[in-house]
Amino acid sequence: PPQVNHTRAQSIVYHDHPVAHNSDASMWMCDNCGRGSQQNPGLLRYHCARGCDFDLCGECLQMQLRLGIGGGLQEDEIPDQVREVFESIDTDLSGDISKLELITALARDKEVAAEMLPGVDCGSLMSDERSFDAADALFEKIAKGKQRIDLRDFAAHFHGRAEAAHAAKSTNEELRDIFELIDTDKSGSVSKLELIAAVQQNQVVDDFLLPGVDSSGVMADQAHFDRVNAVFEAIAGGRKRFCFTDFERYFGKVTARPRRRARTLDMSNRRSLMRVFVIGPGFGQQLNPQQGKMIENAGYQVHWCVKLPNPESPNFPVAPYLDQIKAELDQFQPDLVACASKGGVYLVGLWQRRFWQGPTLLINAHPACQVLPQGAHVVMAHGANDEVYTRSRADLESLIATGSGNSCFLYYVANSGPLPNGQLSRVGDRHNMDSLLQYDCLPRLIDAALCADGPEVHIVRTWRERLSDKRLEAEAWLGYCPELLRNRWTSAHQRGRQEQKLFDVKPDSEEYRQVLTIFKAHPKEIPAYYLAPEAVWDACRVLRLQRVENGFQDDGSIRPYYESLRRSLEDQKIDFEPGTHTCWAFHGTSDRGAIESIVTNPVAGFQPLASGTRGASLWGSGTYFARDASYVAQGGFCGVPAADGTRQMLMCLVAIGIPCSGDPQHHGVLPFRSKPHRYSCSVDSLSSPEIYIVQHPGAASPAYLITFCS
């Protein structure tokens, strides 16, 4: 009989026999998730092809396929069309497909290419890197780590697409219902007022758009109003109204059910409800007690599993102690397991025995850890200067890549490149990982592993928490989309096509006040690059504020990149969130002629391939932007003052997407995040970035030129 795992972390039927579709109209219930056909008439039913007494719904079968367990589909169930495509690719008639065979078939056969990679030009596959990367990623997706693809793996891929299409139909219907509840005047489009009224008056709409938030008092609560306003901006993309297509694009993602996004604020507020199971050995309760205290002080319910010996003793038998840990796991029923250093030996054993497959935090990846479990959220923290477990960044990135997409995150604390004087601007962590104790980092990593949207997405969201409330309010007023910035342009017809590119912003205007707030803001915590007391920056005076209006840049470089970034994230099943995947930052240059070129260039203002950090590549090549204006000014990045004592810097809207940790060895191309998609930006810190480095000319929009003096 099938073995059923009833742990809180994951419930799935481990069944090694193939399954077959069952069209029997009688009532039935899925033996894994418990849903029945009477309450869910759209469920697809599968039964064991060898007679075991159990039923599995289509969604649970898909979970098995994603986790790489179970027997999959019975060969008799594989459609003839799928067999024909498989046989046309399997040119050596071996019964399985190599990567070379797949790539050759995609390049050779237009029908196979259209079936396997719709929307990708495979005719130029051997000369176009993006097409080749897409084909390479397709093979890896189907093969699941194996060297060749057999018929059942191939059929499982097509089955997954069919299930996705079935889910997409249900998704579209749900989205249409929600949209019609918002569109009360039945005009086919929604205004901001309609959206606000809908979340106020309709609980269904409120729960869908802002889960966990009561918006009935939105007009009396600034924070709630800002949330609703941000949702409208994200859907409408800078326009006054949005239609169903905009709504579907934002929430539907065609193949995925609309996700109830766990907001950053919600995650931190839920800490008291979350149970964290800590494997004691390696966590340093005596030698490094601050980490454990930080977890406890964050408000989690914590259980310490401490009656365990040192697993790194010679010839140590791990297996007998795994049952002990499992007994404590069963009793405590945690939401997350955390371990560090030598405790990783026990964690690997728990994974291998399937005693734990849920959210996990792993500090200092033990050498015994060579592969991550499929389907589990895993956050791994490691320092570049770890003196106990010396593992290269490439090795750690390869390890994190063995996990499931959007489920794993490597918090890597790296060294910067050397400054001209030989010193480092940032020093990576050693084994004790001191950075975990700063900026609420350790609890945020736990929250990240627990976040339904994935740990990497969550961490990027939390970067905003490092900013002051006043700055966040000012940024929200300005907006995070190029379209919103253009709405304030005063050039003819807001086109920005005339010779004049700089337009004065009146000092008594709201726009001036909001830009000034961002420019003068201090972060909540002391920054890593602390160059002068806050009072020094407070004394700085802004003498002139000019808005940059360059329509050629905006139309030809900035907006196309913005849309391509949005599509890239959506292809990776990540909701594009203005304010998370875009941010406000500052850029200075010692040459005022360079600023003029950035402002007036009709193609692209910034030239990342020609940029650096005053000759030193601290985090790799690209254009550097600072989170805080004070760092640009006090770090000497604005050059020496002019004869009148003034200096200048640009305030820019930067499209950062999902960034990775910077590296002096990055030379214009960042690592893959999920083939064929690369990381879109790099940063100096994954905990609290103060420097952003972009590699594409269209990634930064020069919005304002600020003239100031100390």
Side-chain angles (χ1 to χ4, degrees), residues 290 304 546:
Q290 296 95 328
W304 288 86
Q546 295 167 286

Side-chain angles (χ1 to χ4, degrees), residues 276-306 338-340 361 363 432-434 436-437 440-443 446:
V276 176
F277 184 98
V278 182
I279 297 175
F283 224 93
Q285 273 189 295
Q286 281 76 41
L287 297 177
N288 189 22
Q290 296 95 328
Q291 290 181 0
K293 289 185 181 299
M294 193 172 200
I295 295 175
E296 293 172 343
N297 293 339
Y300 302 105
Q301 302 175 49
V302 182
H303 174 82
W304 288 86
C305 183
V306 294
C339 75
L361 171 63
I363 302 173
N432 280 345
M433 297 207 71
D434 293 337
L436 296 179
L437 304 178
D440 196 39
C441 182
L442 182 53
I446 292 175

Side-chain angles (χ1 to χ4, degrees), residues 7-10 273-278 301-303 325-338 350 355-359 450:
T7 65
R8 288 178 61 189
Q10 176 182 304
L273 304 177
M274 296 292 106
R275 299 184 175 197
V276 176
F277 184 98
V278 182
Q301 302 175 49
V302 182
H303 174 82
I325 299 173
K326 184 179 185 301
E328 294 188 39
L329 284 170
D330 291 343
Q331 183 176 5
F332 185 62
Q333 289 289 291
D335 296 285
L336 175 138
V337 168
L350 294 174
F355 286 170
W356 180 254
Q357 298 285 292
L450 292 167

Side-chain angles (χ1 to χ4, degrees), residues 9-20:
Q10 176 182 304
S11 177
I12 185 67
V13 175
Y14 300 124
H15 187 269
D16 292 328
H17 297 165
V19 297

